[in-house]
Amino acid sequence: MKRLHPHRARLERRMVGSTNRWRFPREPFSGDLLGLSQMCKALNVDFEEALKNPDRSCISQIQKIFLGQLKNKTIQTGEADVILTCLGSKWELHQPQLFQSETLAKLYLMALAQGTTSPTKELERLLRAQLCGNVKERRPVKKMIISLKINDPLITEVAFATALKDLYLSEVEINMDDVLGVLASAHILQLNRLFQRCVVMMMNGLMPNTIKDFYLAGCKYKEEPLTTACEKWLEMNLVPLMGTQIHLRKIPQELLHKVLRSPRLFTFNEFHLLKTLLSWVFLQLNHKIQTVPVHETVLAFFNSFPKKCSFLDQDTGQSLVPLFLCLRLHGIIRGKNLEELRHINFFPESWLIRVTANHYHALESGGDMAHVKDFTTQALRFGLLFNQEYTTHSEMIAIYGFFFEIKGIKHDTTSYSFYMQRVRHTDSGFPSLLGEHGPVSLRAERLVKYEIRAQTLVDGKWQEFRTNRITQKFGFVKPSCKSHALKVQTVGIPIYASFSFIFPIS
């Protein structure tokens, strides 16, 4: 069976100025060639280039003419040339300012083509007036009405008004509460300078209550610097800040997964990170809860699930497995914390058996961590959050009978150092609870591979300091009891100091 050919498009006649030219109705350019030629002469545009993309070429050149004249003019105070209807309101605009927006320029030219019998002559007259600065050329004309439809719920009337105000002011004031709407308005109006200003403002305004919306905006507009800034901010603040606020619930799972996989993630210890992640899951499943739950509430909730299989093996938990695979459960060493893991029936039995077996073999081997194969993804991690009020800050940690102090010292207003050192359980000031119920190793030396890293935010950019990965035998007396010190020179505060280490086979 033969396919019937559709009727060929018939030529149609269209008047453009005083010309009367033939054209095909489905041509990409909406006017005829003579009309385009006349426009190109008025704009001093290469005719051949304009044929390739007439709309963009013409609008770009028109924008240059109007913007060039704007530099030498004050804010327009005369009668408006254009009325823009949008969001149920009417906005009066002037041609020179209007042409800063490619979107509004296109709408204006379309309205010009439809509303006059000679759009090319009208455009030539407008441009001649701008180029010559001839006020007489700007004779009173009927106001052009253009319409813009917006369906974006982020764009409020206030935000859109702010974006339009940017057409008239060198730097419009933007309220942080409206920045998302202004960003969306700038995107629709194609105001790149305003758009980028909003991006910078958002990157510098990251907080628990803004991180989600700013990250999603970065993804929507493919603005990589913004999404990267959100990821870096959350790497530092997931545990110490977000973990204590109800805004933890709003973190998208995709963003959370990226942050958990990052080697720069800050946490006080692995159990702290686990508690934060359990709270996030709890808040996803309990939408009516409006406060961050205490840890005992979270434990009781997961313990209420059927005991026939673990939470992560159930339908509700299977989609969350990739998140918990990012945890280094072998870094949870305290017996009390391990008992909690078994009690809440959250992890598959095979996971807990593997963690217990690793601890058993490490203890049998004098602390050697044969199960750790990759330092970047498996090293034990501990952290200090060094705040402004500190001159010194330290924490004591116990691992397989070995005791270490991680410490930060402030030398002056901008100088700090961070290091770790081995201590005896009999030293004065040693916390009695730390070694009371755990093993104590009598080995004189312990081989340790470690890395110390510090990060802080200065003028919207993260500064990072780090040692190399160092392998060192730690004894009980100086200098062998002390690690290399990470020296930091910065005006940033707080400082997020991370200590990562393993006990290699010795």
Side-chain angles (χ1 to χ4, degrees):
M1 180 177 174
K2 283 189 176 182
R3 187 176 178 182
L4 295 175
H5 292 285
H7 293 292
R8 296 183 181 275
R10 297 180 61 187
L11 296 177
E12 69 177 18
R13 190 182 298 274
R14 176 171 177 175
M15 294 290 292
V16 180
S18 59
T19 67
N20 185 9
R21 298 292 180 184
W22 290 98
R23 74 173 180 88
F24 290 101
R26 296 183 183 178
E27 287 178 57
F29 181 52
S30 58
D32 73 343
L33 296 181
L34 182 57
L36 177 58
S37 175
Q38 292 173 344
M39 188 177 290
C40 287
K41 286 179 181 178
L43 299 174
N44 195 25
V45 179
D46 182 77
F47 185 63
E48 297 297 328
E49 286 298 315
L51 282 175
K52 296 176 184 177
N53 192 354
D55 291 337
R56 182 166 293 275
S57 296
C58 293
I59 289 173
S60 175
Q61 292 298 323
I62 294 170
Q63 283 181 310
K64 286 180 182 179
I65 293 172
F66 277 107
L67 294 178
Q69 294 301 310
L70 274 175
K71 293 178 182 178
N72 305 316
K73 291 186 177 182
T74 56
I75 297 174
Q76 293 279 354
T77 56
E79 190 176 355
D81 310 290
V82 182
I83 295 177
L84 169 66
T85 61
C86 184
L87 299 174
S89 297
K90 293 182 179 181
W91 319 81
E92 292 191 340
L93 303 173
H94 300 82
Q95 289 165 349
Q97 282 73 21
L98 175 143
F99 271 94
Q100 294 176 77
S101 162
E102 189 169 323
T103 300
L104 298 181
K106 285 181 180 178
L107 291 174
Y108 180 82
L109 292 178
M110 289 169 59
L112 189 69
Q114 295 171 2
T116 63
T117 57
S118 183
T120 306
K121 284 188 176 181
E122 181 66 17
L123 182 58
E124 286 179 8
R125 184 188 67 76
L126 294 174
L127 294 174
R128 196 180 302 115
Q130 290 298 322
L131 289 169
C132 302
N134 189 346
V135 180
K136 292 181 180 180
E137 287 283 350
R138 292 178 56 81
R139 65 180 182 273
V141 294
K142 182 182 178 182
K143 289 181 182 179
M144 191 77 70
I145 298 177
I146 59 176
S147 179
L148 178 63
K149 292 183 179 180
I150 295 178
N151 297 318
D152 192 333
L154 287 176
I155 300 180
T156 62
E157 193 171 327
V158 171
F160 191 71
T162 302
L164 291 179
K165 197 182 295 183
D166 186 69
L167 299 174
Y168 290 83
L169 302 176
S170 57
E171 190 165 294
V172 67
E173 183 179 345
I174 303 173
N175 190 309
M176 184 60 79
D177 293 337
D178 299 322
V179 69
L180 275 170
V182 177
L183 179 86
S185 301
H187 176 75
I188 285 181
L189 294 173
Q190 299 183 66
L191 297 173
N192 186 60
R193 184 180 63 87
L194 178 62
F195 184 89
Q196 290 304 322
R197 191 175 154 221
C198 290
V199 168
V200 172
M201 198 173 160
M202 292 159 74
M203 290 169 64
N204 294 330
L206 290 170
M207 295 185 293
N209 62 325
T210 63
I211 182 72
K212 173 199 170 184
D213 291 335
F214 288 5
Y215 175 76
L216 293 178
C219 294
K220 178 179 179 179
Y221 299 115
K222 297 180 173 58
E223 198 63 31
E224 190 174 339
L226 178 55
T227 56
T228 300
C230 292
E231 291 167 16
K232 287 186 175 180
W233 184 89
L234 194 58
E235 287 167 1
M236 295 299 102
N237 291 291
L238 174 63
V239 173
L241 187 57
M242 295 297 292
T244 65
Q245 300 199 20
I246 194 63
H247 301 294
L248 176 68
R249 164 189 282 138
K250 298 178 182 178
I251 300 176
Q253 185 170 336
E254 174 211 1
L255 174 59
L256 185 59
H257 191 218
K258 283 183 181 179
V259 168
L260 290 172
R261 293 175 60 188
S262 171
R264 295 181 298 272
L265 173 63
F266 174 86
T267 182
F268 300 113
N269 55 53
E270 205 66 31
F271 192 66
H272 245 101
L273 179 59
L274 171 62
K275 290 199 295 183
T276 301
L277 199 49
L278 288 175
S279 295
W280 179 86
V281 177
F282 175 88
L283 291 171
Q284 303 307 303
L285 301 175
N286 295 273
H287 300 287
K288 294 182 179 180
I289 300 292
Q290 295 303 315
T291 57
V292 177
V294 296
H295 184 54
E296 289 71 22
T297 301
V298 176
L299 295 179
F301 172 75
F302 288 115
N303 195 39
S304 68
F305 281 81
K307 298 293 187 291
K308 58 182 179 180
C309 65
S310 70
F311 176 81
L312 290 182
D313 283 328
Q314 298 173 26
D315 292 341
T316 310
Q318 285 182 358
S319 64
L320 304 174
V321 169
L323 298 179
F324 287 90
L325 284 174
C326 297
L327 295 181
R328 306 173 188 183
L329 293 179
H330 58 274
I332 299 174
I333 296 174
R334 288 187 63 188
K336 178 186 175 183
N337 297 340
L338 291 170
E339 190 60 37
E340 279 188 10
L341 295 189
R342 284 188 286 269
H343 181 67
I344 62 174
N345 194 37
F346 187 89
F347 294 97
E349 186 68 22
S350 60
W351 292 27
L352 299 178
I353 290 173
R354 183 166 62 250
V355 170
T356 304
N358 288 338
H359 288 332
Y360 176 80
H361 291 307
L363 282 168
E364 264 200 334
S365 307
D368 292 354
M369 299 178 183
H371 55 279
V372 175
K373 307 298 182 185
D374 180 59
F375 187 94
T376 302
T377 59
Q378 293 182 294
L380 277 62
R381 47 193 175 184
F382 299 87
L384 294 176
L385 184 58
F386 204 95
N387 291 313
Q388 184 155 9
E389 64 269 20
Y390 294 147
T391 53
T392 63
H393 182 42
S394 65
E395 292 289 341
M396 207 75 72
I397 53 181
I399 305 170
Y400 302 140
F402 298 91
F403 304 98
F404 291 87
E405 181 184 28
I406 56 176
K407 192 168 187 177
I409 298 176
K410 182 178 182 179
H411 302 290
D412 56 46
T413 53
T414 60
S415 180
Y416 306 82
S417 61
F418 298 90
Y419 62 90
M420 57 187 284
Q421 61 184 0
R422 187 179 176 190
V423 296
R424 297 177 188 269
H425 69 288
T426 55
D427 288 349
S428 61
F430 184 86
S432 58
L433 291 175
L434 197 62
E436 188 174 349
H437 301 293
V440 175
S441 176
L442 301 178
R443 290 181 60 170
E445 292 183 328
R446 174 64 256 175
L447 189 66
V448 181
K449 185 176 184 178
Y450 65 90
E451 178 184 74
I452 305 172
R453 185 194 305 252
Q455 297 173 85
T456 187
L457 190 63
V458 177
D459 295 331
K461 294 183 180 179
W462 287 99
Q463 289 183 345
E464 183 173 342
F465 309 85
R466 59 193 294 184
T467 65
N468 295 324
R469 286 180 190 169
I470 302 168
T471 303
Q472 175 184 334
K473 284 185 178 179
F474 281 79
F476 285 117
V477 294
K478 293 181 179 180
S480 67
C481 69
K482 186 177 177 181
S483 74
H484 288 246
L486 174 64
K487 296 181 179 179
V488 174
Q489 290 285 339
T490 183
V491 295
I493 207 75
I495 298 173
Y496 303 80
S498 297
F499 299 78
S500 302
F501 57 88
I502 62 172
F503 294 169
I505 298 174
S506 55

